Amino acid sequence: MSASPSQILPVYSPPQEVFVRGEGAWLFTDKNERYLDFIAGIAVNALGHAHPALVDALTGQAQKLWHLSNMFRVEGQERLAAKYVETSFADVVFFTNSGTEAIEGALKMARKYHTANGQPERIDIIGFSGSFHGRSYAAINASGNPNYVEGFGPRLPGYVQVPFGDHDAFNAALTEKTAAIILEPVQGEGGVRAVPEQCLRGIREACDKVGALLIFDEVQCGAARTGKLWAHEWAGVTPDIMAVAKGVGGGFPMGAFLASAEAAKGMTRGVHGSTFGGNPLAMAVGNAVFDIINAPEFLSRVRDMSNHLGQSLEGLRDRHPDLVVDVRGKGMLRGVKLTIDPKTVQASARARKLLVGVAGDNVLRIAPPLIIDETHVSHAVDVLDAALNDIDAGAAA
Ligand SMILES: *Cc1c(COP(=O)(O)O)cnc(C)c1O
């Protein structure tokens, strides 16, 4: 029997390389060729590949107990929830297997909150253009991206979209019918755009004024990626509900939604659930990831290396002003906005054994493992420089 990519539902279009092994910030192919990984499974492999502490946590747990379901107490959930609660605005945590499920739960919680308050008609969810919240029906409706909603039947009721950065449209959309606002403090998929800190504060105030809940989607920008444990800490505001995933599992599929006790008051016994969510394997890894990324020295190192990365990417703009028009994002979630299709630069970088991503709005997306050092940054920026030089030379020829 021969393996064929044509038997995979063709919703993805991966390149030819086959990676079989990883170590830190490096990936190795079946031909033992080494690639520098500056996308990290889309901001998932926060501690790089095969981090010894995560391998130990996973294999240690694998020898004891894999799965119980939530019919029984899962000790790892209780330990990890205590850590999340102690270090955030939240009072309660629900564990999921993915970011989409965390979003789904967060949106359900917001509507249930208003029902518990005797306002079941209060269902509107305001989302922003360019946002990405996952691929379930609720998540695609919350984002409203036409590429994701078209062809899947009528839009769900109660989802309102506002253009990113349009304050007037936002104020007009926010009414007594608004259940919640959902946004990414740093938009990932939509083009790696950080929401200005004063806007996050303004949105918080606006929510409080009408009694709407504020949901932060930190699936991509959370888990220390911006140099703070959660990205919203930079703005000094807290949400009522937060969805997390990607980096919190370091490569093991897991996510969570966190909430204040007030926001969670409608979520009583039987109202929500998951078979796999918070299973012992995921919790073993989630606890190990958290213990590393929450250390103050780890976070300050991420901030230092992020500054270095940001400055190095600014250098690209100085050297290629005709190709690079903006360097944006925050921490180790960076976007390089180009005047050309970022896929050309991505492919050229890959030919030079550097892996980067793309995002909307002509942006090259850079999301390395948080454990990188200066040598990784120099290597990556040298490769991008060379890729952009080639394009410059091609244009001149
Ligand atoms: C990836 C992502 C999701 C969806 O997470 P999945 O694990 O793919 O379901 C939701 N929100 C944001 C901001 C994301 O980047």
Side-chain angles (χ1 to χ4, degrees):
M1 233 189 314
S2 74
S4 164
S6 68
Q7 290 162 350
I8 305 288
L9 189 74
V11 294
Y12 305 120
S13 56
Q16 282 305 309
E17 288 86 351
V18 178
F19 295 105
V20 293
R21 182 166 72 80
E23 199 184 307
W26 300 92
L27 279 169
F28 296 83
T29 66
D30 51 357
K31 301 184 183 73
N32 208 30
E33 290 179 311
R34 191 174 85 146
Y35 285 66
L36 180 58
D37 184 6
F38 261 46
I39 189 61
I42 316 182
V44 168
N45 302 102
L47 300 178
H49 301 278
H51 190 288
L54 305 197
V55 173
D56 279 354
L58 183 61
T59 53
Q61 186 60 46
Q63 281 155 10
K64 287 192 263 181
L65 179 66
W66 288 23
H67 180 77
L68 277 169
S69 92
N70 290 297
M71 285 172 62
F72 302 101
R73 286 174 62 175
V74 179
E75 187 266 343
Q77 281 189 27
E78 295 173 12
R79 274 194 295 129
L80 188 53
K83 293 172 190 174
Y84 285 175
V85 164
E86 197 179 307
T87 54
S88 77
F89 70 95
D91 301 306
V92 287
V93 181
F94 181 95
F95 291 103
T96 67
N97 308 289
S98 68
T100 303
E101 288 166 79
I103 292 295
E104 190 81 18
L107 294 170
K108 285 176 71 179
M109 178 185 272
R111 285 184 172 175
K112 201 74 171 176
Y113 164 79
H114 294 288
T115 301
N117 280 344
Q119 295 185 290
E121 71 289 349
R122 199 162 176 168
I123 62 162
D124 283 1
I125 308 287
I126 300 180
F128 292 89
S129 63
S131 64
F132 181 78
H133 301 299
R135 301 293 198 136
S136 68
Y137 278 111
I140 60 178
N141 276 278
S143 133
N145 185 327
N147 295 332
Y148 300 149
V149 295
E150 270 167 21
F152 294 111
R155 292 287 304 269
L156 296 181
Y159 287 90
V160 180
Q161 257 75 49
V162 167
F164 184 87
D166 186 336
H167 295 185
D168 293 339
F170 172 72
N171 288 325
L174 188 65
T175 70
E176 302 285 310
K177 270 199 71 199
T178 307
I181 319 296
I182 181 165
L183 78 154
E184 303 155 78
V186 184
Q187 271 195 355
E189 196 80 17
V192 196
R193 295 186 288 191
V195 178
E197 289 166 19
Q198 72 271 20
C199 292
L200 291 178
R201 291 191 281 269
I203 290 169
R204 173 75 269 180
E205 276 169 32
C207 283
D208 291 343
K209 226 172 267 168
V210 299
L213 296 180
L214 180 56
I215 303 172
F216 283 157
D217 178 349
E218 294 221 12
V219 170
Q220 191 161 157
C221 61
R225 184 146 292 274
T226 65
K228 301 249 191 210
L229 187 56
W230 309 117
H232 66 261
E233 292 173 24
W234 288 104
V237 293
T238 55
D240 302 293
I241 307 173
M242 173 170 70
V244 302
K246 291 201 166 99
V248 294
F252 198 93
M254 68 157 282
F257 58 102
L258 289 65
S260 68
E262 174 67 9
K265 71 184 187 188
M267 301 299 270
T268 51
R269 189 159 63 90
V271 156
H272 194 62
S274 169
T275 299
F276 291 128
N279 95 29
L281 292 172
M283 293 300 99
V285 181
N287 273 286
V289 169
F290 184 89
D291 293 345
I292 293 171
I293 66 173
N294 185 49
E297 320 79 70
F298 183 90
L299 289 163
S300 76
R301 195 172 172 284
V302 171
R303 289 193 290 273
D304 290 347
M305 207 49 59
S306 297
N307 289 337
H308 180 60
L309 174 65
Q311 279 159 16
S312 304
L313 294 173
E314 287 290 349
L316 284 179
R317 166 158 62 176
D318 296 342
R319 290 189 294 281
H320 307 275
D322 48 335
L323 293 175
V324 178
V325 289
D326 194 17
V327 176
R328 40 160 92 159
K330 206 160 192 158
M332 292 217 194
L333 181 56
R334 297 284 175 158
V336 179
K337 185 172 161 67
L338 302 169
T339 53
I340 54 167
D341 184 351
K343 289 203 179 74
T344 18
V345 180
Q346 181 190 35
S348 170
R350 195 173 60 248
R352 294 175 161 87
K353 303 195 164 40
L354 169 73
L355 303 175
V356 294
V358 297
D361 201 27
N362 259 10
V363 164
L364 202 65
R365 179 164 25 173
I366 292 166
L370 307 180
I371 48 142
I372 54 164
D373 61 31
E374 281 99 347
T375 61
H376 299 114
V377 173
S378 312
H379 183 108
V381 172
D382 285 351
V383 168
L384 291 175
D385 234 334
L388 293 169
N389 274 334
D390 270 6
I391 290 160
D392 274 332

